[in-house]
């Protein structure tokens, strides 16, 4: 499971259904941004990104800590990523891919998210042309609360 592979599924779905709105969460948000960078969707009018990570390096360092693999394994994973997909871990950042997204975008992130740092969505939103960034007070990483549903519905209701 990688954001790059996930983006291929997203592209296939977009090609089939031509949605005007995409809502994505966590690595799905990163994969959606990556897909929009490489394959902008002409039908896309609104994008909602929930608790999305920015830096693949941050994710991989967390995995390294969690799984206790050494720097040789990390380096090997980096080589595989570069060989298969053309990206190095340290250079894969959603904020860099977000710069050309034209759709109105809502980014929601809880400061108390224990999975993805709050700063990730801040960094992404700062690079986007049409971004609205909301720091949520509830929901942690899942963001599944009434408050966040209201933020999403309000955003969707705007012309």
């Amino acid at each position: 499971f990688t954001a790059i592979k996930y983006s291929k599924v997203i592209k296939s779905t977009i090609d089939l259904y031509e949605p005007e709105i995409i809502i994505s969460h966590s690595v799905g948000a990163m994969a959606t941004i990556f897909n929009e960078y490489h394959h902008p969707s002409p039908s896309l009018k609104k994008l909602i990104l929930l608790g999305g990570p920015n830096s693949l390096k941050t994710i991989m360092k967390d995995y390294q800590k969690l799984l206790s693999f050494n720097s040789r394994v990390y380096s090997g994973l980096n080589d595989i990523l570069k060989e298969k997909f053309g990206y190095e871990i340290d250079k894969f950042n959603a904020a860099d891919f977000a710069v050309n997204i034209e759709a109105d975008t809502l980014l929601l992130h809880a400061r108390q998210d224990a999975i993805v740092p709050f700063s990730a969505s801040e960094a992404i939103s700062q690079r986007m042309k049409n971004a609205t960034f909301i720091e949520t007070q509830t929901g942690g990483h899942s963001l599944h609360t009434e408050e966040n549903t209201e933020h999403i519905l309000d955003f969707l209701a705007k012309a």
Side-chain angles (χ1 to χ4, degrees), residues 77-139:
L77 290 170
N78 187 56
D79 292 344
I80 291 169
L81 186 71
K82 187 173 180 182
E83 179 184 319
K84 283 189 155 226
F85 303 112
Y87 288 94
E88 294 180 21
I89 291 171
D90 292 356
K91 295 179 181 163
F92 192 96
N93 296 298
D96 294 336
F97 302 125
V99 296
N100 293 328
I101 294 176
E102 298 288 338
D104 286 335
T105 304
L106 172 66
L107 295 97
L108 289 179
H109 209 120
R111 187 166 292 278
Q112 73 275 21
D113 186 332
I115 307 297
V116 175
F118 175 80
S119 59
S121 287
E122 277 185 315
I124 294 166
S125 70
Q126 290 170 359
R127 302 287 308 274
M128 297 184 86
K129 296 174 184 174
N130 301 307
T132 300
F133 177 67
I134 297 176
E135 173 186 349
T136 67
Q137 301 305 311
T138 59

Side-chain angles (χ1 to χ4, degrees), residues 7-141:
S7 75
K8 292 177 181 183
V9 174
I10 292 167
K11 181 183 180 329
S12 296
T13 304
I14 291 170
D15 288 348
L16 182 61
Y17 294 104
E18 299 178 353
E20 292 183 3
I21 300 164
I22 296 174
I23 301 174
S24 56
H25 176 257
S26 196
V27 175
M30 178 184 258
T32 299
I33 292 168
F34 182 79
N35 178 71
E36 284 303 306
Y37 177 77
H38 288 286
H39 310 285
S41 308
S43 63
L44 186 62
K45 298 202 180 353
K46 292 196 177 201
L47 181 60
I48 300 171
L49 305 171
L50 307 169
N54 177 34
S55 165
L56 184 58
K57 179 180 179 179
T58 301
I59 295 168
M60 293 304 293
K61 289 294 184 181
D62 286 346
Y63 283 141
Q64 184 178 25
K65 237 188 285 182
L66 179 69
L67 300 173
S68 300
F69 59 80
N70 61 29
S71 53
R72 190 168 155 205
V73 172
Y74 184 92
S75 179
L77 290 170
N78 187 56
D79 292 344
I80 291 169
L81 186 71
K82 187 173 180 182
E83 179 184 319
K84 283 189 155 226
F85 303 112
Y87 288 94
E88 294 180 21
I89 291 171
D90 292 356
K91 295 179 181 163
F92 192 96
N93 296 298
D96 294 336
F97 302 125
V99 296
N100 293 328
I101 294 176
E102 298 288 338
D104 286 335
T105 304
L106 172 66
L107 295 97
L108 289 179
H109 209 120
R111 187 166 292 278
Q112 73 275 21
D113 186 332
I115 307 297
V116 175
F118 175 80
S119 59
S121 287
E122 277 185 315
I124 294 166
S125 70
Q126 290 170 359
R127 302 287 308 274
M128 297 184 86
K129 296 174 184 174
N130 301 307
T132 300
F133 177 67
I134 297 176
E135 173 186 349
T136 67
Q137 301 305 311
T138 59
H141 185 62

Side-chain angles (χ1 to χ4, degrees), residues 25 50 108 136 138-149 152:
H25 176 257
L50 307 169
L108 289 179
T136 67
T138 59
H141 185 62
S142 79
L143 295 165
H144 187 76
T145 67
E146 194 171 316
E147 174 202 9
N148 296 322
T149 300
I152 292 167

